Amino acid sequence: MSALIPYYDWLKAGHVIFVIFWMAGMFMLPRYLAYHCETAIGSAESEAWKAREKRLLRIIVNPAMILTWVFGLTLAATGDWFAQPWLHAKLTLVLLLSGFHGFLAGQVRKFGRDQGLRNGRTWRLLNEIPSFATIAIVILVVIKPF
Ligand code: HEM
């Protein structure tokens, strides 16, 4: 990937832009689901939340996750970072975050059928997962403590 070295900073800019879109969606989706499960099944409000959840997932969260991975892996290859322990730790956390993303996508499908985890308090607690992941991931990549 040495051909991409002159574009390293542009790749990093692209990576951070899609990280922001992805994380914005990861903060919004559990909150949407918290509001959604407090509405009556079959109500107009509940149907409106279903449409919002599907749109957010399809237009922002899914494409942003894919592009974050594409730019991130390209950066790792271009910068020859793959042997670094901080990257291994970061990748572990990002894989867990991607798993949480998959869980949210599954819940959006279930909420579409009026099923799923219908507890607002639990969704507000789950909302903290992306916050803690972001703090740890940014410290790992900026400080590179090991
Ligand atoms: C999807 C898998 C990911 C991979 C493979 C990846 C990999 C990388 C690599 C190799 C760099 C360049 C480091 C440097 O030049 O010093 C980078 C930069 C960065 N990444 Fe990721 N990353 C991923 C996901 C994420 C996520 C989820 C976040 C935030 C929640 C994130 C936040 C950042 C930030 C803020 C930078 C800029 C750091 C700086 O300029 O000092 N990345 N990433």
Side-chain angles (χ1 to χ4, degrees), residues 8 12 15 19 69 72-73 75-76 90-91 94 137 141 144:
Y8 191 82
K12 192 142 69 170
H15 179 61
V19 160
W69 271 102
L73 290 174
L75 274 175
K90 177 175 171 176
L91 283 177
V94 182
I137 290 170
V141 69
K144 299 185 177 54

Side-chain angles (χ1 to χ4, degrees), residues 14-33:
H15 179 61
V16 174
I17 288 165
F18 290 112
V19 160
I20 290 171
F21 289 161
W22 186 25
M23 288 305 114
M26 296 289 276
F27 286 118
M28 283 166 78
L29 254 187
R31 191 127 299 256
Y32 275 20
L33 294 169

Side-chain angles (χ1 to χ4, degrees), residues 2-146:
S2 54
L4 291 177
I5 289 173
Y7 306 105
Y8 191 82
D9 286 345
W10 281 103
L11 289 170
K12 192 142 69 170
H15 179 61
V16 174
I17 288 165
F18 290 112
V19 160
I20 290 171
F21 289 161
W22 186 25
M23 288 305 114
M26 296 289 276
F27 286 118
M28 283 166 78
L29 254 187
R31 191 127 299 256
Y32 275 20
L33 294 169
Y35 295 142
H36 184 170
C37 71
E38 285 159 1
T39 63
I41 286 176
S43 64
E45 222 186 327
S46 166
E47 295 306 307
W49 281 114
K50 286 181 190 176
R52 286 183 199 120
E53 287 149 11
K54 285 188 188 138
R55 213 179 311 125
L56 179 64
L57 196 62
R58 201 184 59 236
I59 299 176
I60 299 187
V61 192
N62 287 341
M65 180 191 69
I66 293 165
L67 290 164
T68 299
W69 271 102
V70 170
F71 277 93
L73 290 174
T74 310
L75 274 175
T78 308
D80 206 9
W81 293 113
F82 278 121
Q84 301 300 316
W86 65 265
L87 184 61
H88 301 161
K90 177 175 171 176
L91 283 177
T92 306
L93 290 174
V94 182
L95 279 171
L96 289 172
L97 202 58
S98 302
F100 184 60
H101 177 135
F103 166 73
L104 291 178
Q107 286 295 316
V108 167
R109 276 194 297 276
K110 285 190 178 163
F111 270 67
R113 299 192 298 268
D114 295 320
Q115 296 163 352
L117 183 56
R118 303 191 76 90
N119 183 314
R121 200 178 131 69
T122 307
W123 281 115
R124 284 179 176 82
L125 285 174
L126 288 174
N127 213 3
E128 299 310 325
I129 291 178
S131 319
F132 290 121
T134 302
I135 293 167
I137 290 170
V138 171
I139 290 173
L140 281 168
V141 69
V142 175
I143 310 290
K144 299 185 177 54
F146 40 78

